[in-house]
Amino acid sequence: MISLKPWISGFSLSLVAAVVSITGSATTAQALSLVNGITIPADSTDLSSSNTNSANTNRLGFFSDLYYDRSNNVYYSLADRGPGGGVISYNPRVQKFSLDVDQNTGAISNLQLLDTILFTQNGQNFNGLNPGILNGNASVLGRSFDPEGFAIAPNGNFYVSDEYGPSVYEFSPTGSFIRAFATPSNLIPRQSDGTINYVDGRPTISTGRQDNRGFEGVTLSPDGSRLFAMLQDPLVNEGSPDGRRGSNLRIVEFDTNTGNSTAQYLYQLESLADINARVPDNTFGANSQGRNIGISSITALNNNEFLILERDNRGIGVEDPTGATPVASKRIYKIDLTGATNVADISLTGINTLPAGVTPVSKTLFADIAEFLRNAGQPIPEKFEGLAIGPQLADGSYALIVGTDNDFSVTQNGDNVQFDVCTDGTNFSQVPIDSGCPTGQSLIPTFVYALNASQAELAGFVPPQRVPEPTTTAALVLMAASSLFVKRQFKSMQK
């Protein structure tokens, strides 16, 4: 058995601090298994232009979502609205990177950042500030943006889901805004008088998505014709007495051609009783079902089946730097829309059950990430938020890549003053932002893990389609002219 490296030791300024070996060998995948992991130091910086290194300008943020572009063998990851919880200015962005995957074992290594792409509209940056601060009006969404889900269209454009709206936007590959999809009316947060309010939570809002619980994930059908966006938790009004006690959250289907929603389906969170049975001495309260338990990612297997990452809010993170509270749930489920009821016109206001005749999506356990890590003697991070089906391996199995979000290792107080969170795994401290950690402590890192899934376990998987880049005669002429110009410039420099 290969020895495991401590999660908090040996940090360096390099992008990847350590590779954690979790299985000795995995040349064949007889059953889903955890292969290895990579630790990414929280003080790593991205490739955005900045005069100074700061958490709010260029500190690297991973993995609010994770997407594998198999056509180009590259990955994309979001950094949500940045440090500060929506009260500190930050330009949302997507990180593009490469990752080596061993074709025999599925082990990952050598993560290399390739590009940092900022989201813009008409030349102006989107911003992580909430609408009340950025626009001076809680009813105006504007360019307030909390990106949480990412997918790539067949033509290479980006689809990004947002929690503030909740919204789905389309961007060019350079991050330039193209269009917004039409958010269904029942999801938009409103006060009792009907006024839209994108900032406040209950009891100020009485219908629509809960605050900070918007579209947490997005994925495409393999042919790119349908897009599925998923709320993190139930609507604020769909539960008794509210969504915090509910277990039914909505998957929204969109037509990518029109941008309009075509259906809504119900996904049921794991029961609170089953979750609490795994942490008998540290149980969740009744009002935690639809708030502290939720989904973090959705990935299409085919037109009807999907993988869903569901988790609790416990584990190593800025609220619990040493992971002192027992973790109950970090799980991947497989779901099927076949036979599920379209509930676009059905309300679950004030109930925790299902109306007669309503069938939710079917759901089966696919992988228990927390159990994998416990068995490997590894700590469990709080925010598993990225999930992607990676490359196919030599034996036909697939690498399944899972990433965590460390919130930039930043927290804040009630006066919106930010602090870096530092720990050595046993003790922790909060220090002024960007001031450096005490000796022996480091910022909480980000983790990315590789699982190995057999062909049988991913039966029915259909890789997403991509349209090849057109190679026209004009493009070939332009490429030839450009090459000739470069050669002439090089010869000139040599003289």
Side-chain angles (χ1 to χ4, degrees), residues 205-229:
I205 61 170
S206 58
T207 60
R209 62 105 181 101
Q210 294 186 55
D211 58 301
N212 202 37
R213 295 294 187 272
F215 282 146
E216 186 71 14
V218 72
T219 193
L220 277 169
S221 61
D223 63 2
S225 67
R226 292 184 298 160
L227 180 145
F228 299 86

Side-chain angles (χ1 to χ4, degrees), residues 227-244:
L227 180 145
F228 299 86
M230 195 168 183
L231 293 171
Q232 183 173 359
D233 277 302
L235 300 179
V236 70
N237 51 297
E238 295 197 325
S240 178
D242 57 47
R244 288 173 178 251

Side-chain angles (χ1 to χ4, degrees), residues 47 63 115 139 142 144 147 154 183 187 261 263 290 304 317 387 453 483:
L47 300 179
F63 288 90
D115 198 6
S139 297
S144 290
T183 302
L187 274 55
S261 62
N304 293 301
L387 171 64
S483 176

